[in-house]
Amino acid sequence: MYQFVQKFHSGWAYLALLLLVIVLVNSLMGLNSKREFTAKDRKIALFGLIAAHLQLTVGFILYFLSPVGHALLGEMKDATARLTSLEHPLLNIIAIALITIGWSKHKKAVDAAAKFKAISLFYGLGLVLILSRIPWGLWFSN
């Protein structure tokens, strides 16, 4: 079970990151071109939100199934252990919270520019946090 969840978490990450990049590019293009915020824009942002939340949920499952996760919490001097057991989960929770805030703020905004700005800012910050704490060495070794 652990191996399946680990592979799913790693594989889904590609799709989640791709969707977040698409959301960010779409919102920046919408903001720069001053176009109207359409149902297509809303759906793109929603798919990014759903993918990020699913990735976080699978990450929680993986963290609590992990045979090493709890053992590593005592070894904060080891950079890899600290990254996988503390930094990666904590910053990704913050990143998904920012993405969720962006989704909520876009719904409350009245004009298209404010909607695109909220999505660009919060999804962008979330994406930067996610990218900063991906365990790249472990990810590419699988």
Side-chain angles (χ1 to χ4, degrees), residues 14-83:
Y14 290 108
L15 181 61
L17 287 172
L18 177 65
L19 283 170
L20 289 175
V21 168
I22 290 170
V23 170
L24 184 60
V25 168
N26 181 62
S27 63
L28 289 172
M29 286 173 41
L31 188 61
N32 288 335
S33 67
K34 296 180 179 29
R35 66 178 160 84
E36 284 301 310
F37 191 87
T38 64
K40 182 188 100 178
D41 298 314
R42 186 188 65 78
K43 287 176 186 172
I44 291 171
L46 180 60
F47 290 147
L49 177 79
I50 291 169
H53 276 261
L54 183 58
Q55 181 70 358
L56 181 65
T57 303
V58 174
F60 278 140
I61 294 167
L62 180 63
Y63 186 80
F64 291 110
L65 285 178
S66 173
V68 268
H70 305 297
L72 292 176
L73 281 175
E75 301 178 18
M76 289 298 122
K77 291 179 184 174
D78 179 20
T80 303
R82 186 177 58 247
L83 175 64

Side-chain angles (χ1 to χ4, degrees), residues 91-130:
L91 282 182
N92 282 312
I93 290 168
I94 294 168
I96 304 305
L98 286 170
I99 290 168
T100 305
I101 290 168
W103 174 258
S104 296
K105 285 195 172 288
H106 114 273
K107 289 191 327 186
K108 294 176 184 174
V110 178
D111 65 333
K115 289 177 182 282
F116 284 125
K117 187 175 181 180
I119 290 173
S120 297
L121 177 65
F122 287 98
Y123 278 61
L125 287 172
L127 182 60
V128 167
L129 285 179
I130 290 169

